[in-house]
Amino acid sequence: MTVTYLKKATRTAHSDEGDVRDAVAAMLAAIDAEGEAAVRRFSREFDKWEGEIVLSDAARQAAIARVPDKTKDDIRFAHANIARFAEAQKATVLDCSIEVIPGLMAGQKQIPVEAAGCYVPGGRYSHIASAIMTITTARVAGVRHVVACSPPRPGFGIPPEIVFAMDLCGADVILNLGGVQGVAAMANGLFGLPKADVLAGPGNQYVAEAKRILYGRVGIDMFAGPTDSMILADESADAEFIANDLIGQAEHGYNSPVWLATTSAALAEAVMARVPDLIEALPEPNRSSARAAWADYAEVILCGDAEEMAGVADTYAPEHLHVQAADLDWWLGRLQAYGSLFLGEETTVAFGDKTSGPNHVLPTSGAARYTGGLSVHKFMKTVTWQRATRAAARDLGVVTARISRKEGMEGHARSADVRLARFFPGETFDLAPAED
């Protein structure tokens, strides 16, 4: 059986990619040339912010004091889970060494970057969880200096609950900055800060484009587009769960794709029948976002069997992949392309987005074909080292000289030659490459 689309998207995540590159490039060039003055100008223009850029300790503590204890406890719960998972990730990558040949030791070390910049989105929603995900992960990785920024609300600043999360998770400095100007301030080391070695965190298309242009000058977590989610379900799945899970992800934005692949036509019809009421029951702006995402970007796909569903998932490579079907262990072993996998109806993507532990900064728009999400490894460098004895240098030198000459790199060859002559005086070596 070939897959059948019961609902087909009229747009994709790439359909509305505006040509923002020129605008972002112009802003970055202005910031490179003018520094903090340009950042302040863009902050006034886009954030409508006239206040301090670097959040003072007094303002930080005042914001924290406004956060209810119940909210603080909830943030602490999420932080503990996310930190625990990040610590387990870090334990999987170790320093090591090996004697490659007698007398030649080589190894690897894990070194965290010195400084990280964490972007926490603002706008429609207060993204508390994004602050926890990025800052906590950088800290667990061992980053020495962490800067966080988020769009300030006009006349108010960053929401207090985000400030509390930033403080709890270990942000050294908090910037009242959003958009391109926030990303550039961290990358360029403005306002007395160290230049970020790595930029991390989700954002809108302008933030994503700024990170894309800056990549190379700094490291980034990934290129990110609109969030997307897929559910794989068989006849045992609950239509109410699935409909709620799809709409819960569609509320991210008008261009956030959600997909259902199922082997049950009856389940598909039940989900499609339930979705409109769930959308209309949402408050604004969530309702408008979910309505547009469902109308233009959502798909419902009927498959012949589990293997066909798995093939669809591997092709789409979704950011979030949720299996609500029998034999979860089979799915865990079979699926190959996703940002994060959620197994069973007891699990939901919303848990991963907010509190459960694995990071919610994930590859979108099919990028899960070649990369995973944000982890401690994004803030660390795996570097190598080697040390040879003079005895080991004998064979290394001879072969290096011959390969170098075969390549035409005489300078490399002579670096080997001089050591052979010094370490083994009186010996004659065959240092010429083989004739063709």
Side-chain angles (χ1 to χ4, degrees), residues 321-335:
L321 182 55
H322 191 176
V323 178
Q324 300 186 41
D327 198 0
L328 296 178
D329 287 339
W330 181 86
W331 291 100
L332 179 59
R334 166 61 184 83
L335 294 165

Side-chain angles (χ1 to χ4, degrees), residues 301-321:
I301 307 164
L302 188 62
C303 299
D305 54 27
E307 180 58 40
E308 200 161 64
M309 280 198 288
V312 168
D314 285 348
T315 299
Y316 278 61
E319 177 187 10
H320 310 97
L321 182 55

Side-chain angles (χ1 to χ4, degrees), residues 284-413:
E284 288 291 0
N286 316 52
R287 180 167 61 246
S288 293
S289 293
R291 187 189 294 138
W294 179 258
D296 296 334
Y297 294 86
E299 294 184 337
V300 178
I301 307 164
L302 188 62
C303 299
D305 54 27
E307 180 58 40
E308 200 161 64
M309 280 198 288
V312 168
D314 285 348
T315 299
Y316 278 61
E319 177 187 10
H320 310 97
L321 182 55
H322 191 176
V323 178
Q324 300 186 41
D327 198 0
L328 296 178
D329 287 339
W330 181 86
W331 291 100
L332 179 59
R334 166 61 184 83
L335 294 165
Q336 299 296 311
Y338 51 82
S340 193
L341 180 62
F342 302 80
L343 295 164
E345 65 179 17
E346 295 82 5
T347 312
T348 175
V349 174
F351 292 170
D353 280 347
K354 309 302 177 186
T355 61
S356 57
N359 212 285
H360 82 185
V361 181
L362 300 166
T364 64
S365 307
R369 291 178 295 106
Y370 59 83
T371 189
L374 182 63
S375 71
V376 293
H377 310 129
K378 296 285 186 176
F379 296 105
M380 301 179 74
K381 303 170 289 186
T382 299
V383 298
T384 58
W385 59 268
Q386 53 192 278
R387 177 185 294 170
T389 63
R390 292 194 173 190
R394 190 181 192 283
D395 289 342
L396 291 169
V398 170
V399 177
T400 295
R402 292 201 293 246
I403 288 177
S404 297
R405 290 193 168 94
K406 196 69 172 179
E407 293 174 338
M409 303 188 75
E410 184 61 26
H412 281 64

